[in-house]
Amino acid sequence: MKINYNYIKAFLVLVLVIFLFGFAEKRNEIRPLAKVVVKFTEFENLYLTEEAVNKLLIQNNVTVTGVGKETLDLNRVEKVLNTHDMIENAEVFLTLDGTLKTSIVQKRPIGRILGKEIFYIDRLGEKMPMSTYYSARVPVITGVGEREIKEVYPLLDHISQDRFLQEHITGIRRLNGGVYELEVRKMDFSLFVGKVENLDTKFNNFKAFYKKAFKDDILNTYKMVDLQFGNQVVCTKK
């Protein structure tokens, strides 16, 4: 019987490759993590820092550097990070060189509540604490507490998604009965929107009025602009 040495060689090479692969994978698992890299996405303004992220992990007894990869619970790291009041979503993953990379989407404030308690409302309509690192330029809201967040959120959300309104609306005031009055940048008049409803119609009417009055240079002749009457813009002169 003739022995085919080519098959034997191929088999030995295959066994060697499997052994080396398993050995390399095992060494990679027990290799300690070298460093942690935190990357903030979505927005340039930082409401928390890399140092704050690392501090959060330490406070929750999550050790990431100097431990083997096989002992690191990535799901737990993500859960800890997602409990932070400034983080909307966090994802963590490992690289081959032993780096733990953390991708963080920060919460984005769209309004600031001024009252007994001062806090932001974020783009998802949730309460967000003030940051010690950055102060957002968003409309200031008075007459609203935590109980009225759901009521005022559609108004804030509408303003935050419209560039014209973002540039011109600086303040929101809740009056008795759940009606709202807005402050307009560099203008003496108040903008009355009434209940938080029919916002598309109301603000489209306001844009048309503003552009026409600006062109005619008569914006400063008004003390009140009322949008709550259907397709009408009712103005009160000084």
Side-chain angles (χ1 to χ4, degrees):
M1 177 176 165
K2 187 176 180 180
I3 299 175
N4 191 330
Y5 290 100
N6 289 331
Y7 286 119
I8 295 175
K9 290 179 181 179
F11 176 75
L12 292 175
V13 169
L14 179 61
V15 171
L16 180 61
V17 169
I18 294 174
F19 171 77
L20 293 175
F21 178 80
F23 179 74
E25 185 176 20
K26 187 63 178 177
R27 286 195 61 186
N28 186 57
E29 287 180 353
I30 63 176
R31 176 192 295 177
L33 293 175
K35 59 180 177 178
V36 178
V37 174
V38 179
K39 178 183 178 183
F40 295 97
T41 62
E42 290 283 325
F43 313 109
E44 295 180 358
N45 302 324
L46 295 182
Y47 299 101
L48 73 163
T49 63
E50 183 174 347
E51 180 182 356
V53 172
N54 290 326
K55 184 178 180 181
L56 175 65
L57 295 175
I58 293 172
Q59 288 174 341
N60 285 272
N61 297 317
V62 178
T63 303
V64 293
T65 57
V67 300
K69 293 181 180 180
E70 82 286 355
T71 64
L72 182 63
D73 187 345
L74 296 182
N75 288 330
R76 181 165 180 259
V77 175
E78 285 188 353
K79 287 180 180 179
V80 169
L81 292 175
N82 282 316
T83 61
H84 197 287
D85 291 331
M86 296 294 180
I87 295 177
E88 184 175 304
N89 185 59
E91 295 181 356
V92 297
F93 56 94
L94 291 171
T95 62
L96 294 176
D97 64 354
T99 299
L100 178 72
K101 290 194 174 182
T102 305
S103 178
I104 292 178
V105 177
Q106 300 177 98
K107 290 185 177 181
R108 189 183 76 181
I110 58 175
R112 180 190 292 117
I113 302 292
L114 288 185
K116 292 182 179 179
E117 186 181 4
I118 301 176
F119 58 91
Y120 290 122
I121 297 177
D122 74 5
R123 63 175 177 170
L124 301 180
E126 298 179 352
K127 185 179 176 182
M128 175 182 171
M130 302 296 291
S131 170
T132 58
Y133 305 105
Y134 184 82
S135 180
R137 294 182 61 185
V138 291
V140 174
I141 310 158
T142 56
V144 169
E146 193 169 350
R147 291 183 303 177
E148 290 81 27
I149 288 179
K150 288 185 178 180
E151 179 186 277
V152 73
Y153 171 67
L155 177 58
L156 278 172
D157 184 53
H158 194 100
I159 293 171
S160 71
Q161 296 189 51
D162 187 297
R163 180 167 293 183
F164 177 87
L165 298 177
Q166 277 185 322
E167 292 176 353
H168 290 85
I169 304 302
T170 60
I172 299 174
R173 184 183 302 109
R174 185 182 189 273
L175 307 177
N176 292 334
V179 295
Y180 287 84
E181 187 178 46
L182 310 183
E183 295 178 8
V184 183
R185 187 184 306 278
K186 296 181 180 179
M187 292 291 115
D188 291 334
F189 65 80
S190 294
L191 182 65
F192 192 77
V193 296
K195 295 279 188 177
V196 182
E197 57 190 16
N198 302 321
L199 296 179
D200 284 329
T201 299
K202 290 177 180 179
F203 283 122
N204 285 337
N205 291 340
F206 172 64
K207 290 178 188 177
F209 157 78
Y210 188 97
K211 291 176 182 178
K212 179 66 167 60
F214 180 81
K215 182 179 178 181
D216 296 340
D217 195 24
I218 57 174
L219 282 172
N220 286 318
T221 65
Y222 301 107
K223 65 178 180 180
M224 171 69 78
V225 176
D226 197 334
L227 306 176
Q228 65 176 330
F229 301 106
N231 289 320
Q232 296 181 346
V233 177
V234 179
C235 303
T236 303
K237 289 196 172 184
K238 295 178 178 177

